[in-house]
Amino acid sequence: MPARQRLTPADRRAQLLTVGARLFAAHPYADVLMEEVAEEAGVSRALLYRHFPSKHALFAAVYQQGADQLLAETRLDPTDSLVEQLIQGMDTHLDYFVANRNAVLAANRVLAGDPVIQTIMTNELDTLRARLLTVLPLADERTREAVSGVLKSWLVFVQVLVVDWLTHETCTRTQLRDACIGAVLGALRPLLATDPAPDWPPRGPGAGT
């Protein structure tokens, strides 16, 4: 066990989250033991349990931190085109999902239906949907409602597709990203007065890379 360090409660919690995130990313959920988290962090199990009373509580905190990180790193810049914004957002999420494959699969498979984890997911998707609504050309409230419904369904579609891809990579990462982008653009075009991405899909071999 590493030498014990004196940390403030906030710093200790942050340290435990870092260790937990690393272990949940490296191993399937069932293989991560709280004893291992305590050992890696150089703390007693009693101290670990004072911060996180169960493995589920630690995982939920790790997953919430990941969702917050993704929202912070997903920039929807109105100076960029819609396609550029979608590519940036998809790449940010795919970077995280690939690096944290085991944690993502745990949240979507092992803990599917868990109310705490589902709330974290729902809140992130709702925030992303609200951000996308601010950068789309919406003529009126009726259009906004229709587009909001499309975005809500699309975000769930992306979530399911990416989780399946993490389990069994049937295409390249770029193909996955571009399929997701193409899906939302195709669904939005009938609802908007102007084409939100007239240059999509990219033309020519490798244009989407």
Side-chain angles (χ1 to χ4, degrees):
M1 178 182 291
R4 185 80 56 86
Q5 291 180 300
R6 289 187 176 276
L7 298 174
T8 66
D11 287 342
R12 179 65 71 193
R13 176 182 172 83
Q15 180 214 17
L16 294 172
L17 283 173
T18 298
V19 172
R22 183 169 68 249
L23 292 175
F24 284 123
H27 306 287
Y29 181 82
D31 294 347
V32 177
L33 303 176
M34 291 294 272
E35 292 83 353
E36 184 181 6
V37 176
E39 183 176 355
E40 291 255 346
V43 303
S44 67
R45 281 181 290 177
L47 179 57
L48 171 60
Y49 280 109
R50 280 205 293 271
H51 286 274
F52 301 102
S54 66
K55 181 168 75 169
H56 175 273
L58 175 60
F59 182 85
V62 166
Y63 211 72
Q64 180 65 70
Q65 180 175 258
D68 293 341
Q69 173 189 329
L70 285 172
L71 288 174
E73 294 178 359
T74 301
R75 55 176 180 80
L76 294 177
D77 188 340
T79 63
D80 290 338
S81 70
L82 177 60
V83 168
E84 288 172 330
Q85 295 176 70
L86 290 170
I87 288 174
Q88 191 276 333
M90 285 295 307
D91 280 342
T92 294
H93 279 71
L94 288 172
D95 285 344
Y96 178 85
F97 293 158
V98 170
N100 297 274
R101 181 189 304 263
N102 283 307
V104 174
L105 291 177
N108 287 274
R109 296 281 171 81
V110 180
L111 298 173
D114 179 89
V116 175
I117 303 303
Q118 289 303 312
T119 296
I120 294 171
M121 291 182 183
T122 299
N123 288 342
E124 189 208 352
L125 296 184
D126 284 347
T127 300
L128 289 171
R129 175 164 51 111
R131 290 184 183 180
L132 283 167
L133 285 170
T134 67
V135 299
L136 287 168
L138 305 176
D140 49 43
E141 187 59 29
R142 182 183 178 87
T143 301
R144 179 184 176 85
E145 290 180 4
V147 168
S148 180
V150 164
L151 292 176
K152 183 175 182 178
S153 297
W154 175 71
L155 288 165
V156 174
F157 162 80
V158 171
Q159 181 181 16
V160 172
L161 188 61
V162 170
V163 169
D164 286 346
W165 180 80
L166 288 173
T167 306
H168 181 53
E169 295 183 16
T170 54
C171 61
T172 68
R173 171 177 159 155
T174 298
Q175 288 172 329
L176 173 71
R177 183 198 69 191
D178 290 355
C180 291
I181 292 172
V184 72
L185 294 177
L188 289 174
R189 280 180 171 129
L191 302 175
L192 301 176
T194 58
D195 190 333
D199 296 330
W200 186 275
R203 305 297 181 186
T209 59

